[in-house]
Amino acid sequence: MEGEYMGVIIFILTTIFSLLFTAGTIYLIVYLVRNKDKKINLGVNTLLHIYLYIISFITLAIATIGTVVFINAAASYKFGIPFSYQLEEPYAEVKDEIVYTPDTESNAEPSCYQGELMEIEGEEVCFDTTKQKKGLVNGATLTISMLILFAIHRITLLFLEKKNTISWLKKAYNFISLIIYSVLSIISIPLSIYLLVNYIYFKPEYIIRIEAPGSMVALAIVSIPLWITFLVLTLKLREKKEK
């Protein structure tokens, strides 16, 4: 079920990117047609600004993913594996043609297709414990490396913009980022609340049926501050224009 939610988010983001790309292409064509008599300045300085903004956008997005993965993995140590990961039901390893049934004695033993057999909250389940460690390591690696690259490119932009600011590019960067992180926040806030309430107050009888709220809560924790940040930056640009 958790995968379904993430699939919906990916679909929505892909749709938004497609619409933004299409709208940007149409705008560029219209702009070029209307200004065909004017020279379009795409010098080294402009191209460098475009490069820095694109890389800043990409590195921040990847850092966001890494942070979500890290928080989700860390939460599994604090609040338990079912909080962050979906557990699998063991299958029956048949011996002497007797099928294993949970909570009964038989010649068959439970086994796992993936991961290892363990007992959580009194139930035998299958889970790959390396997911937690991989989540911490991969999440931290992505977050730290991408934030370093993001910082380098943003600092470079700050130095360049002291001499020359390409306002339309800055506005486009802030506005697109605002759209992306606002959509992520709008999706993750209600879903994380729904999953969290269900996890705390309406746990299913069997632990394997729990819908893990960890990743959605982590997404909300990461996306909301970014949403607010880009909203403030966009409003500041609007105020400067009005002045």
Side-chain angles (χ1 to χ4, degrees), residues 82 86-93 100-106 108-112 114-127 205-209:
Q86 188 72 38
L87 302 173
E88 300 293 334
E89 185 177 12
Y91 73 95
E93 188 175 38
Y100 168 77
T101 306
D103 302 324
T104 62
E105 294 184 1
S106 69
E109 296 180 357
S111 188
C112 299
Q114 291 182 340
E116 59 188 63
L117 187 67
M118 61 176 63
E119 187 173 309
I120 299 178
E121 297 183 13
E123 293 183 39
E124 289 184 327
V125 295
C126 295
F127 179 70
E205 183 180 356
Y206 299 105
I207 198 171
I208 57 171
R209 295 180 182 173

Side-chain angles (χ1 to χ4, degrees), residues 189-205:
I189 289 171
L191 282 179
S192 61
I193 293 173
Y194 165 75
L195 292 172
L196 202 55
V197 169
N198 279 345
Y199 181 82
I200 296 172
Y201 296 106
F202 305 104
K203 272 190 177 181
E205 183 180 356

Side-chain angles (χ1 to χ4, degrees), residues 10-54:
I10 292 171
F11 172 76
I12 292 173
L13 289 179
T14 303
T15 303
I16 292 173
F17 273 119
S18 301
L19 290 173
L20 288 173
F21 178 78
T22 304
T25 303
I26 294 172
Y27 175 81
L28 180 61
I29 293 172
V30 172
Y31 179 82
L32 291 174
V33 170
R34 288 183 177 179
N35 299 274
K36 57 184 177 181
D37 297 329
K38 298 180 182 179
K39 287 186 177 181
I40 306 300
N41 183 18
L42 281 179
V44 175
N45 183 59
T46 303
L47 293 174
L48 181 59
H49 275 76
I50 293 173
Y51 159 78
L52 290 171
Y53 274 115
I54 290 175

Side-chain angles (χ1 to χ4, degrees), residues 179-243:
I179 291 175
I180 297 300
Y181 295 112
S182 63
V183 169
L184 285 176
S185 299
I186 290 168
I187 294 172
S188 62
I189 289 171
L191 282 179
S192 61
I193 293 173
Y194 165 75
L195 292 172
L196 202 55
V197 169
N198 279 345
Y199 181 82
I200 296 172
Y201 296 106
F202 305 104
K203 272 190 177 181
E205 183 180 356
Y206 299 105
I207 198 171
I208 57 171
R209 295 180 182 173
I210 291 177
E211 297 180 72
S215 59
M216 203 58 62
V217 172
L219 181 60
I221 291 172
V222 176
S223 61
I224 291 173
L226 290 171
W227 178 18
I228 295 171
T229 299
F230 283 107
L231 178 60
V232 171
L233 290 173
T234 304
L235 290 174
K236 284 183 178 179
L237 287 175
R238 182 172 175 271
E239 289 173 0
K240 285 181 181 179
K241 184 179 179 181
E242 289 178 350
K243 290 178 181 179

